[in-house]
Amino acid sequence: SGCSCSSCPIRIAQARPGARLDVTVGGERFVVEMNAEGYRTHEFAIPKPPGMVRIICIGGSTTVAGRTNDETYPALLQKKLRARFPGLPLEVLNLGVSSATTEYWYARLPRVFGYQPDVIVQ
């Protein structure tokens, strides 16, 4: 579920850090939760904890798409990696922003690198 219209619940909520939106659109329920940094991901430590493997997913609507935060591809990737590598401290952060372009991310690379990623997926 990746709505790209201006009334998309993801686009509405992502404008506000800490926002939570629970809405039904076209018969589908969306629960969109933004963290304190304004991303559709769990809260995360800055600086990164010692030993933590941090994967950051950037991109547009395909990165933030999902009826719930747990249904986004970064959340599913984190679940699969944790199952594959039990005991390895790792996290996958969803920094996606609807309608974001490569130029958008290029301008924000210093901020993204400030989160101390080991891997960046676009």
Side-chain angles (χ1 to χ4, degrees):
S1 298
C3 180
S4 60
C5 63
S6 61
S7 63
C8 175
I10 297 166
R11 290 188 70 182
I12 293 167
Q14 77 182 8
R16 298 185 334 260
R20 183 178 193 283
L21 182 65
D22 187 335
V23 65
T24 301
V25 177
E28 286 191 85
R29 182 175 179 217
F30 289 80
V31 179
V32 179
E33 299 172 282
M34 309 308 278
N35 72 3
E37 296 288 317
Y39 297 112
R40 192 173 187 196
T41 197
H42 56 275
E43 299 297 338
F44 56 93
I46 306 168
K48 179 178 70 172
M52 174 69 69
V53 175
R54 179 171 283 170
I55 300 167
I56 292 182
C57 299
I58 62 174
S61 58
T62 56
T63 305
V64 295
R67 290 175 299 208
T68 67
N69 288 20
D70 291 339
E71 290 182 4
T72 64
Y73 96 74
L76 296 172
L77 177 60
Q78 177 176 280
K79 184 177 179 180
K80 284 186 173 264
L81 288 173
R82 285 183 173 172
R84 174 69 175 91
F85 302 102
L88 178 67
L90 70 87
E91 65 182 355
V92 178
L93 304 181
N94 182 349
L95 303 192
V97 175
S98 290
S99 302
T101 62
T102 300
E103 292 78 19
Y104 173 93
W105 287 110
Y106 184 72
R108 286 159 182 81
L109 282 178
R111 181 177 182 187
V112 173
F113 286 129
Y115 297 138
Q116 303 172 299
D118 295 290
V119 177
I120 297 176
V121 178
Q122 179 181 25

